[in-house]
Amino acid sequence: MADLEIRDLRVSVEGREILKGVSLDVSKGEVHAVMGPNGSGKSTLSQTLLGHPGYKVEGGRVRFKGQDILELTPDARSRLGLFLALQYPIVVPGITMNNFLRTALNAHRGYDGKDKSKSVSPKEFRTLVEPYLETLRIDRTFLSRYINEGFSGGEKKRAEILQMAVLQPEVAVLDETDSGLDIDSIKYVSEAINKMRGPELGVLMITHYTRILQFIKPDYVHVMVAGQVVESGGAEVADRLEREGYAQWGEEVA
Ligand code: ADP
Ligand code: MG
C-alpha cells in the first residue's frame, strides 16, 4: 500500500466536474511529477488533497498512511505529515515568518502552550532553519518580516520550501513551485528539495514545464489532461513532452 493513495478521485468546483477519476500512488522515497496544460486540474488536485473547502469531492477516496483523509481538516492533514506548497502563496500581514514557522512546528509536535517539553527550543529551531536559509539564499532578515508581504515571486516560492524544510512532511505536494521563477531561484529551490529528498520523503511535484525536472529527476511522471491522468511512466515521459508538448492530446490543450 502506498503512503498516499488517490483512487478514482472526482472533484467539482462551482458545480463543474474538474477531476474525472484520478488515481495516483505516492510513497516515501519517491518523486512523482504531475504535468499538464493549464486548466487540466492540477491545482484542483493539490487543493483537494489539502482540504480546500471550495473543492467538492464527488467520488473516490484519498488515503494517507492508511487513513481516509477527505473528512479531515487541513491542519489535521498537515499534522499527519502532508504538506502543500501553494501555486499562489498568500500574504499574511501581522504574522512574521519566524512566528509562523515556530507555531506551525509546535503544533506539529502537539505543543498546546502548556507542556514546555514539547515546544521547539530556539536552538533547535535555528538548527532546522539555518541550513535551508543558506541553501535557499534567503536572508535571515526575512524571518522577521510578515509572511510573503513585499516578497518577490521567487522569494515567496523559496519561503514555501523553507516551510517544508521546517515541517519535514512525509509527503509534500508542490504546486508549480517552479512557475514564475528565474533560473537562479529554480536552482536554489531544486537544491533544497534534493537535500530533503530521501527515504523519509515522498514528493508530488506539479509542473507545467519540464525545466525544473532537469534539476530534480523524477522517478515517475504522470500527464494530466482534462481532469484525467492520460499517461504515466518514467522520466522519459517528460523528455518526450519537452520535445512534443501537449499537442498530441488535442489542439485545445497545446
Ligand atoms: P491547472 O492547475 O492544471 O492549471 P486548475 O485546477 O487550476 O488547473 O483548474 C482546472 C479548471 O477548474 C479550470 O477550468 C479552472 O477555471 C477551474 N477552476 C479551478 N479552481 C477554480 C475556482 N476556485 N473557481 C472556479 N473555477 C475553478
Ligand atoms: Mg495550477
Side-chain angles (χ1 to χ4, degrees):
M1 194 185 59
D3 292 310
L4 178 66
E5 217 181 58
I6 304 166
R7 280 294 170 280
D8 200 26
L9 187 63
R10 291 187 297 111
V11 174
S12 67
V13 182
E14 294 179 354
R16 191 156 69 90
E17 188 170 68
I18 307 294
L19 295 188
K20 298 169 180 157
V22 170
S23 296
L24 281 173
D25 279 333
V26 180
S27 280
K28 290 198 283 187
E30 300 171 352
V31 174
H32 293 249
V34 171
M35 307 196 60
N38 287 328
S40 56
K42 303 184 300 298
S43 292
T44 301
L45 176 64
S46 62
Q47 299 283 9
T48 305
L49 288 177
L50 267 289
H52 189 295
Y55 296 78
K56 186 161 179 276
V57 177
E58 305 285 359
R61 60 179 166 79
V62 179
R63 285 206 180 126
F64 183 53
K65 303 199 287 186
Q67 188 173 343
D68 263 302
I69 59 164
L70 290 176
E71 298 303 319
L72 298 181
T73 57
D75 67 297
R77 298 179 198 203
S78 166
R79 274 185 271 111
L80 262 186
L82 201 57
F83 175 85
L84 170 65
L86 295 172
Q87 179 169 4
Y88 303 106
I90 52 166
V91 175
V92 189
I95 299 177
T96 63
M97 285 284 293
N98 192 34
N99 200 336
F100 170 72
L101 290 171
R102 291 190 58 148
T103 306
L105 190 57
N106 278 329
H108 274 226
R109 299 269 171 94
Y111 174 57
D112 55 5
K114 296 191 189 98
D115 181 359
K116 280 269 188 244
S117 70
K118 284 186 182 162
S119 79
V120 54
S121 73
K123 181 158 177 270
E124 190 189 354
F125 184 71
R126 277 199 306 276
T127 314
L128 267 172
V129 169
E130 277 182 359
Y132 284 96
L133 285 177
E134 201 171 305
T135 308
L136 289 160
R137 275 65 159 190
I138 296 176
D139 194 275
R140 69 173 50 255
T141 57
F142 268 67
L143 293 178
S144 38
R145 286 170 60 179
Y146 294 148
I147 300 171
N148 291 328
E149 192 171 75
F151 290 19
S152 71
E155 287 164 348
K156 284 181 187 168
K157 297 296 178 93
R158 284 188 264 151
E160 294 273 300
I161 300 304
L162 183 66
Q163 286 174 36
M164 174 178 164
V166 170
L167 293 179
Q168 299 180 293
E170 291 174 51
V171 170
V173 180
L174 309 178
D175 193 355
E176 298 211 20
T177 298
D178 54 331
S179 70
L181 291 190
D182 55 49
I183 192 70
D184 286 331
S185 292
I186 289 198
K187 280 187 186 154
Y188 307 152
V189 159
S190 305
E191 206 180 308
I193 293 169
N194 284 328
K195 192 161 150 177
M196 289 180 234
R197 197 171 174 173
E200 295 310 314
L201 174 69
V203 179
L204 185 62
M205 199 165 50
I206 293 173
T207 177
H208 179 85
Y209 299 105
T210 53
R211 187 165 63 160
I212 196 168
L213 304 181
Q214 295 163 12
F215 302 104
I216 303 172
K217 286 285 169 219
D219 302 300
Y220 303 93
V221 176
H222 313 274
V223 183
M224 186 141 131
V225 174
Q228 288 183 309
V229 175
V230 294
E231 185 168 347
S232 290
E236 75 285 351
V237 174
D239 297 337
R240 211 183 69 234
L241 278 177
E242 171 72 34
R243 292 194 305 274
E244 300 171 7
Y246 296 106
Q248 57 190 299
W249 287 284
E251 287 287 311
E252 70 277 10
V253 301

